Structure formats: structure tokens, C-alpha cells
Amino acid sequence: MGVKGFVEGGIASIIAGCSTHPLDLIKVRMQLQGEASASVQTQTLRPALAFHPPNNTTNAHAPVAPRVGPVAVGVRIVQQEGVAALFSGISATVLRQTLYSTTRMGLYDMLKKKWTDPNTKNMPLGKKIVAGLIAGGIGAAVGNPADVAMVRMQADGRLPAAQRRNYKSVVDAITQMSKNEGVTSLWRGSSLTVNRAMLVTASQLASYDEFKEMILGKGLMKDGLGTHVTASFAAGFVAAVVTNPVDVIKTRVMNMKVEPGAAPPYNGALDCAMKTIKAEGPMALYKGFIPTISRQGPFTIVLFVTLEQVRKLLKDF
């Protein structure tokens, strides 16, 4: 029964991840807006460092590229890189969902069965959250290499041609990172990944179960597609609000390019958060929120609707 939960969660996660991959790519591109500027490329500095008073003031009033919305970002990607660019890094998404989501979904299912009251058949919200935190943290630690590769492959197209990494696949990305930056680079930003995954799993899975139980308990709907869609969309919104700030920082730390002999742009998650807030304001932590909820909503709906159907198909196994 334990293995069955991993299989069900893995199938649903891979389908959901692949079907919403373009939205995730747009989200990553939006989160990186304002981080790079052509006026400082020669200094190998990011605008997040712009709060340091420059010695040379010639670029002090350099124009800042306007931020654009998710539709404009998507259109620009298609125009400049082609439709196929919307699926850049999808091999990393498949690997990430196979490692990360399969682990977290399976572990959550195991803990849920273990901690559910056999008499009431209910599990308190507090235990659901704890189960989500545990499952998400372990899943993220397992899937971090694929997560780093996915972020880099999704962000590559926004770089000048000379600076692109041009990974051919997730295997090539992981191989090159290990060779050029060391094996530890595969776990770059892992603390952020683990923290985000704990928040995502706790807010997403726990809230889905809670919303579903509330809908069924109050007799608002029957246990069917309508209930699954409603509960999963609400869970997706909760997860997006809770995790967006951590996701922005995670994306920037994972995507940063460390030049040989030069100090890294960010010295960890806290440093990245402080520099981002000082340079771009606190709302920069909610960059990409619209595509995040636009992606998190459909992802969560596809995830749980698919999961419920897979459970029906495998109920006799």
C-alpha cells in the first residue's frame, strides 16, 4: 500500500508538471526581471547590488527596463525564441516530478494513513500540516539537482547568446554542473528548495484535504469532479500566497552565475532577500505572482483531479 501511494502521486505529478510547464517557465522569467541590466554586464554585477553607491555615476540615471506581464513575457519568448522555447527544460521537469513530487506525495500518503483516526476517519489539520512539512522537506532534498537544472534551462533564453549555458538535456545540465562547478552545485539553494517544498506540500496537500472534507461535510457538493476542482484550486491559491517569496529567492540563487575568482552575487538566501528588497522593494518578493497562481491553480487542479482518477484505476491493486 505504501508503494501504491508513491506510484499514484508520481503519475499525477508528472502529468501536472508537463501540462503546466510553459506557465512555470514564464513565472521563472518574470521572477528574474530586474535582476540583470545591460548597463552593468561589463561589471559582472546584478542590479540587486545597485544599492551600493557607485564610484562612477555615469550610469546612475540609466533607464531601467520596464517590467512586463505574463502574457507579454510569453509572447516575447515565442517571438524571440520560438514556440518550442516554452518547453525549455521539460526533461528536467519530468525528472524533478519523478524524484521530488513522487517522494512527497508518497510520504504524505503514508503519514496520512498512519495518523488518521481509525474511528472518525479524519486527520486533524495540525497533523496534515506536519505531514506535509516532513514529506516536502525529504522530497526536495531528493529532487534538488533536477530543480537546479530546470531553473537554469528555463532561464537560459533570457541571457545574451554568448552567456547561455545551452544545456542539451537535464542529464547534460547535471553533468556540466558537476564537472564545471563541482557536485555541490547540484544542491545550490537546497535550503530554499527544502523550505519552499515544505511550505508548498503543507499548504497544498493539507489545504486540499481540508477544503475537500469541508465541502463534503457541509453537503455543498458530492464527491466528484466539481469537488476536486474546487478544493484543488483553493489549495493552489493558498500555496501560491505562502510560497511566492521563497520561490523568487530560490530562483535567483539557483540561477546566479559565479565567475571564476569573483565573489558570488549572493551569499546565501538571506543575503539575496535583503539585496532584492533594498534594490527593488519588498513587493519584488511577489514578482511573478500572477503566473505563479496561473500556474499553481491549473497545476494543483490537474494534480489532484488526475490523482483521484488514478486512485480509482488502481483501487483494486
Side-chain angles (χ1 to χ4, degrees), residues 97-116:
Q97 297 299 338
T98 301
L99 298 176
Y100 159 61
S101 289
T102 299
T103 303
R104 73 175 183 128
M105 298 288 284
L107 287 176
Y108 180 81
D109 187 64
M110 289 178 64
L111 293 173
K112 181 180 174 182
K113 289 175 179 175
K114 185 175 181 179
W115 292 348
T116 296

PDB file of all heavy atoms in Angstrom, residues 97-116:
ATOM      1  N   GLN A  97       9.746  16.015 -11.091  1.00  0.00           N
ATOM      2  CA  GLN A  97       8.486  15.457 -10.604  1.00  0.00           C
ATOM      3  C   GLN A  97       8.664  13.991 -10.195  1.00  0.00           C
ATOM      4  O   GLN A  97       8.070  13.534  -9.213  1.00  0.00           O
ATOM      5  CB  GLN A  97       7.397  15.579 -11.674  1.00  0.00           C
ATOM      6  CG  GLN A  97       7.027  17.003 -12.059  1.00  0.00           C
ATOM      7  CD  GLN A  97       6.489  17.827 -10.899  1.00  0.00           C
ATOM      8  OE1 GLN A  97       6.010  17.293  -9.907  1.00  0.00           O
ATOM      9  NE2 GLN A  97       6.583  19.144 -11.017  1.00  0.00           N
ATOM     10  N   THR A  98       9.505  13.270 -10.951  1.00  0.00           N
ATOM     11  CA  THR A  98       9.755  11.856 -10.633  1.00  0.00           C
ATOM     12  C   THR A  98      10.428  11.709  -9.277  1.00  0.00           C
ATOM     13  O   THR A  98      10.085  10.814  -8.486  1.00  0.00           O
ATOM     14  CB  THR A  98      10.627  11.210 -11.720  1.00  0.00           C
ATOM     15  OG1 THR A  98       9.966  11.323 -12.989  1.00  0.00           O
ATOM     16  CG2 THR A  98      10.872   9.737 -11.422  1.00  0.00           C
ATOM     17  N   LEU A  99      11.383  12.583  -8.985  1.00  0.00           N
ATOM     18  CA  LEU A  99      12.123  12.495  -7.726  1.00  0.00           C
ATOM     19  C   LEU A  99      11.398  13.205  -6.584  1.00  0.00           C
ATOM     20  O   LEU A  99      11.086  12.605  -5.550  1.00  0.00           O
ATOM     21  CB  LEU A  99      13.520  13.096  -7.904  1.00  0.00           C
ATOM     22  CG  LEU A  99      14.442  12.407  -8.919  1.00  0.00           C
ATOM     23  CD1 LEU A  99      15.750  13.183  -9.048  1.00  0.00           C
ATOM     24  CD2 LEU A  99      14.727  10.974  -8.496  1.00  0.00           C
ATOM     25  N   TYR A 100      11.131  14.483  -6.789  1.00  0.00           N
ATOM     26  CA  TYR A 100      10.577  15.329  -5.722  1.00  0.00           C
ATOM     27  C   TYR A 100       9.111  15.017  -5.418  1.00  0.00           C
ATOM     28  O   TYR A 100       8.748  14.656  -4.300  1.00  0.00           O
ATOM     29  CB  TYR A 100      10.761  16.794  -6.105  1.00  0.00           C
ATOM     30  CG  TYR A 100       9.840  17.766  -5.413  1.00  0.00           C
ATOM     31  CD1 TYR A 100       9.851  17.902  -4.026  1.00  0.00           C
ATOM     32  CD2 TYR A 100       8.958  18.563  -6.148  1.00  0.00           C
ATOM     33  CE1 TYR A 100       9.006  18.805  -3.393  1.00  0.00           C
ATOM     34  CE2 TYR A 100       8.109  19.462  -5.524  1.00  0.00           C
ATOM     35  CZ  TYR A 100       8.133  19.579  -4.156  1.00  0.00           C
ATOM     36  OH  TYR A 100       7.292  20.470  -3.534  1.00  0.00           O
ATOM     37  N   SER A 101       8.265  15.138  -6.441  1.00  0.00           N
ATOM     38  CA  SER A 101       6.830  15.018  -6.190  1.00  0.00           C
ATOM     39  C   SER A 101       6.412  13.585  -5.851  1.00  0.00           C
ATOM     40  O   SER A 101       5.532  13.366  -5.021  1.00  0.00           O
ATOM     41  CB  SER A 101       6.027  15.524  -7.393  1.00  0.00           C
ATOM     42  OG  SER A 101       6.118  16.926  -7.491  1.00  0.00           O
ATOM     43  N   THR A 102       7.044  12.612  -6.513  1.00  0.00           N
ATOM     44  CA  THR A 102       6.723  11.220  -6.182  1.00  0.00           C
ATOM     45  C   THR A 102       7.035  10.939  -4.715  1.00  0.00           C
ATOM     46  O   THR A 102       6.251  10.298  -4.006  1.00  0.00           O
ATOM     47  CB  THR A 102       7.520  10.254  -7.083  1.00  0.00           C
ATOM     48  OG1 THR A 102       7.166  10.488  -8.441  1.00  0.00           O
ATOM     49  CG2 THR A 102       7.225   8.807  -6.729  1.00  0.00           C
ATOM     50  N   THR A 103       8.182  11.444  -4.249  1.00  0.00           N
ATOM     51  CA  THR A 103       8.583  11.242  -2.856  1.00  0.00           C
ATOM     52  C   THR A 103       7.630  11.929  -1.897  1.00  0.00           C
ATOM     53  O   THR A 103       7.157  11.329  -0.921  1.00  0.00           O
ATOM     54  CB  THR A 103      10.014  11.752  -2.626  1.00  0.00           C
ATOM     55  OG1 THR A 103      10.907  11.090  -3.523  1.00  0.00           O
ATOM     56  CG2 THR A 103      10.459  11.516  -1.190  1.00  0.00           C
ATOM     57  N   ARG A 104       7.327  13.203  -2.159  1.00  0.00           N
ATOM     58  CA  ARG A 104       6.482  13.950  -1.215  1.00  0.00           C
ATOM     59  C   ARG A 104       5.049  13.426  -1.194  1.00  0.00           C
ATOM     60  O   ARG A 104       4.439  13.300  -0.131  1.00  0.00           O
ATOM     61  CB  ARG A 104       6.497  15.442  -1.542  1.00  0.00           C
ATOM     62  CG  ARG A 104       5.729  15.851  -2.779  1.00  0.00           C
ATOM     63  CD  ARG A 104       5.679  17.355  -2.971  1.00  0.00           C
ATOM     64  NE  ARG A 104       4.867  17.691  -4.137  1.00  0.00           N
ATOM     65  CZ  ARG A 104       3.872  18.554  -4.123  1.00  0.00           C
ATOM     66  NH1 ARG A 104       3.548  19.194  -3.015  1.00  0.00           N
ATOM     67  NH2 ARG A 104       3.188  18.824  -5.231  1.00  0.00           N
ATOM     68  N   MET A 105       4.518  13.081  -2.358  1.00  0.00           N
ATOM     69  CA  MET A 105       3.143  12.573  -2.408  1.00  0.00           C
ATOM     70  C   MET A 105       3.042  11.212  -1.716  1.00  0.00           C
ATOM     71  O   MET A 105       2.087  10.947  -0.981  1.00  0.00           O
ATOM     72  CB  MET A 105       2.678  12.457  -3.857  1.00  0.00           C
ATOM     73  CG  MET A 105       2.633  13.778  -4.617  1.00  0.00           C
ATOM     74  SD  MET A 105       1.304  14.868  -4.123  1.00  0.00           S
ATOM     75  CE  MET A 105      -0.089  14.085  -4.905  1.00  0.00           C
ATOM     76  N   GLY A 106       4.042  10.358  -1.964  1.00  0.00           N
ATOM     77  CA  GLY A 106       4.028   9.033  -1.349  1.00  0.00           C
ATOM     78  C   GLY A 106       4.178   9.085   0.158  1.00  0.00           C
ATOM     79  O   GLY A 106       3.462   8.391   0.896  1.00  0.00           O
ATOM     80  N   LEU A 107       5.117   9.920   0.630  1.00  0.00           N
ATOM     81  CA  LEU A 107       5.336  10.040   2.074  1.00  0.00           C
ATOM     82  C   LEU A 107       4.126  10.654   2.767  1.00  0.00           C
ATOM     83  O   LEU A 107       3.737  10.222   3.866  1.00  0.00           O
ATOM     84  CB  LEU A 107       6.582  10.888   2.348  1.00  0.00           C
ATOM     85  CG  LEU A 107       7.931  10.230   2.051  1.00  0.00           C
ATOM     86  CD1 LEU A 107       9.066  11.226   2.279  1.00  0.00           C
ATOM     87  CD2 LEU A 107       8.138   8.994   2.931  1.00  0.00           C
ATOM     88  N   TYR A 108       3.534  11.672   2.144  1.00  0.00           N
ATOM     89  CA  TYR A 108       2.349  12.295   2.739  1.00  0.00           C
ATOM     90  C   TYR A 108       1.217  11.277   2.857  1.00  0.00           C
ATOM     91  O   TYR A 108       0.519  11.224   3.868  1.00  0.00           O
ATOM     92  CB  TYR A 108       1.897  13.492   1.895  1.00  0.00           C
ATOM     93  CG  TYR A 108       0.681  14.203   2.440  1.00  0.00           C
ATOM     94  CD1 TYR A 108       0.793  15.133   3.470  1.00  0.00           C
ATOM     95  CD2 TYR A 108      -0.595  13.934   1.942  1.00  0.00           C
ATOM     96  CE1 TYR A 108      -0.327  15.782   3.987  1.00  0.00           C
ATOM     97  CE2 TYR A 108      -1.714  14.574   2.451  1.00  0.00           C
ATOM     98  CZ  TYR A 108      -1.575  15.498   3.462  1.00  0.00           C
ATOM     99  OH  TYR A 108      -2.694  16.131   3.975  1.00  0.00           O
ATOM    100  N   ASP A 109       1.062  10.468   1.812  1.00  0.00           N
ATOM    101  CA  ASP A 109       0.012   9.442   1.828  1.00  0.00           C
ATOM    102  C   ASP A 109       0.255   8.426   2.945  1.00  0.00           C
ATOM    103  O   ASP A 109      -0.687   8.017   3.648  1.00  0.00           O
ATOM    104  CB  ASP A 109      -0.037   8.740   0.470  1.00  0.00           C
ATOM    105  CG  ASP A 109      -1.208   7.787   0.340  1.00  0.00           C
ATOM    106  OD1 ASP A 109      -2.358   8.258   0.370  1.00  0.00           O
ATOM    107  OD2 ASP A 109      -0.979   6.572   0.199  1.00  0.00           O
ATOM    108  N   MET A 110       1.528   8.030   3.137  1.00  0.00           N
ATOM    109  CA  MET A 110       1.863   7.083   4.207  1.00  0.00           C
ATOM    110  C   MET A 110       1.567   7.668   5.582  1.00  0.00           C
ATOM    111  O   MET A 110       0.967   7.007   6.439  1.00  0.00           O
ATOM    112  CB  MET A 110       3.339   6.690   4.105  1.00  0.00           C
ATOM    113  CG  MET A 110       3.694   5.799   2.932  1.00  0.00           C
ATOM    114  SD  MET A 110       5.470   5.427   2.860  1.00  0.00           S
ATOM    115  CE  MET A 110       5.670   4.515   4.386  1.00  0.00           C
ATOM    116  N   LEU A 111       1.998   8.920   5.793  1.00  0.00           N
ATOM    117  CA  LEU A 111       1.784   9.570   7.084  1.00  0.00           C
ATOM    118  C   LEU A 111       0.296   9.811   7.332  1.00  0.00           C
ATOM    119  O   LEU A 111      -0.186   9.689   8.466  1.00  0.00           O
ATOM    120  CB  LEU A 111       2.560  10.890   7.138  1.00  0.00           C
ATOM    121  CG  LEU A 111       4.082  10.762   7.135  1.00  0.00           C
ATOM    122  CD1 LEU A 111       4.733  12.135   7.025  1.00  0.00           C
ATOM    123  CD2 LEU A 111       4.562  10.054   8.401  1.00  0.00           C
ATOM    124  N   LYS A 112      -0.406  10.148   6.259  1.00  0.00           N
ATOM    125  CA  LYS A 112      -1.843  10.389   6.391  1.00  0.00           C
ATOM    126  C   LYS A 112      -2.575   9.124   6.851  1.00  0.00           C
ATOM    127  O   LYS A 112      -3.433   9.175   7.730  1.00  0.00           O
ATOM    128  CB  LYS A 112      -2.392  10.876   5.045  1.00  0.00           C
ATOM    129  CG  LYS A 112      -3.881  11.187   5.055  1.00  0.00           C
ATOM    130  CD  LYS A 112      -4.319  11.660   3.674  1.00  0.00           C
ATOM    131  CE  LYS A 112      -5.836  11.834   3.620  1.00  0.00           C
ATOM    132  NZ  LYS A 112      -6.288  12.258   2.272  1.00  0.00           N
ATOM    133  N   LYS A 113      -2.211   7.982   6.257  1.00  0.00           N
ATOM    134  CA  LYS A 113      -2.846   6.719   6.638  1.00  0.00           C
ATOM    135  C   LYS A 113      -2.478   6.320   8.065  1.00  0.00           C
ATOM    136  O   LYS A 113      -3.296   5.768   8.803  1.00  0.00           O
ATOM    137  CB  LYS A 113      -2.437   5.615   5.664  1.00  0.00           C
ATOM    138  CG  LYS A 113      -3.059   5.776   4.280  1.00  0.00           C
ATOM    139  CD  LYS A 113      -2.545   4.727   3.305  1.00  0.00           C
ATOM    140  CE  LYS A 113      -3.196   4.897   1.941  1.00  0.00           C
ATOM    141  NZ  LYS A 113      -2.635   3.981   0.925  1.00  0.00           N
ATOM    142  N   LYS A 114      -1.252   6.647   8.442  1.00  0.00           N
ATOM    143  CA  LYS A 114      -0.783   6.271   9.782  1.00  0.00           C
ATOM    144  C   LYS A 114      -1.408   7.141  10.861  1.00  0.00           C
ATOM    145  O   LYS A 114      -1.698   6.659  11.977  1.00  0.00           O
ATOM    146  CB  LYS A 114       0.739   6.377   9.832  1.00  0.00           C
ATOM    147  CG  LYS A 114       1.343   5.885  11.138  1.00  0.00           C
ATOM    148  CD  LYS A 114       2.861   5.904  11.089  1.00  0.00           C
ATOM    149  CE  LYS A 114       3.460   5.385  12.381  1.00  0.00           C
ATOM    150  NZ  LYS A 114       4.943   5.364  12.351  1.00  0.00           N
ATOM    151  N   TRP A 115      -1.618   8.425  10.564  1.00  0.00           N
ATOM    152  CA  TRP A 115      -2.081   9.377  11.576  1.00  0.00           C
ATOM    153  C   TRP A 115      -3.580   9.635  11.542  1.00  0.00           C
ATOM    154  O   TRP A 115      -4.094  10.369  12.382  1.00  0.00           O
ATOM    155  CB  TRP A 115      -1.342  10.706  11.411  1.00  0.00           C
ATOM    156  CG  TRP A 115       0.112  10.606  11.747  1.00  0.00           C
ATOM    157  CD1 TRP A 115       0.748   9.576  12.365  1.00  0.00           C
ATOM    158  CD2 TRP A 115       1.124  11.579  11.482  1.00  0.00           C
ATOM    159  NE1 TRP A 115       2.087   9.830  12.508  1.00  0.00           N
ATOM    160  CE2 TRP A 115       2.353  11.062  11.972  1.00  0.00           C
ATOM    161  CE3 TRP A 115       1.126  12.828  10.885  1.00  0.00           C
ATOM    162  CZ2 TRP A 115       3.559  11.754  11.871  1.00  0.00           C
ATOM    163  CZ3 TRP A 115       2.328  13.536  10.787  1.00  0.00           C
ATOM    164  CH2 TRP A 115       3.527  13.003  11.272  1.00  0.00           C
ATOM    165  N   THR A 116      -4.288   9.069  10.572  1.00  0.00           N
ATOM    166  CA  THR A 116      -5.741   9.256  10.518  1.00  0.00           C
ATOM    167  C   THR A 116      -6.421   8.441  11.625  1.00  0.00           C
ATOM    168  O   THR A 116      -6.092   7.268  11.842  1.00  0.00           O
ATOM    169  CB  THR A 116      -6.296   8.816   9.150  1.00  0.00           C
ATOM    170  OG1 THR A 116      -5.757   9.664   8.132  1.00  0.00           O
ATOM    171  CG2 THR A 116      -7.817   8.913   9.117  1.00  0.00           C
TER     172      THR A 116
END
